[in-house]
Amino acid sequence: MARMTDDEADALDELWTHTTPEIDTSKPGFLTRKGFTMVSLDPVTATYLQAKASVSRNSPSEIISELVRKELAASISA
């Protein structure tokens, strides 16, 4: 991978320093989520979620939601 020259790095720095990024709030994403709560996961759980997300093509959030729904359904029927 080619490295940036000092002039290119300065130009990029100027661009991001003086340009406000536009965020499309109609699309889902980290910067558009309301009420986002950071959750810390142990390495085993994080690895499991990444593997499951890769195989199922679902996001980790979708996988967690599914697991919570199953747990709630099990507790209601018990």
Side-chain angles (χ1 to χ4, degrees):
M1 185 168 146
R3 292 189 172 267
M4 282 191 270
T5 65
D6 287 340
D7 290 337
E8 290 170 329
D10 289 340
L12 188 61
D13 180 54
E14 278 294 311
L15 173 69
W16 287 110
T17 300
H18 298 290
T19 304
T20 302
E22 293 182 21
I23 300 171
D24 185 356
T25 57
S26 67
K27 296 179 182 174
F30 178 76
L31 296 175
T32 61
R33 292 184 195 147
K34 293 186 174 147
F36 177 76
T37 303
M38 182 65 73
V39 177
S40 178
L41 301 174
D42 63 275
V44 172
T45 304
T47 301
Y48 171 82
L49 282 173
Q50 289 172 340
K52 184 87 169 167
S54 176
V55 170
S56 68
R57 297 186 185 251
N58 289 331
S59 70
S61 296
E62 291 169 324
I63 294 167
I64 292 169
S65 294
E66 183 182 333
L67 291 170
V68 169
R69 283 189 204 99
K70 285 180 183 177
E71 186 71 24
L72 288 171
S75 68
I76 290 171
S77 64

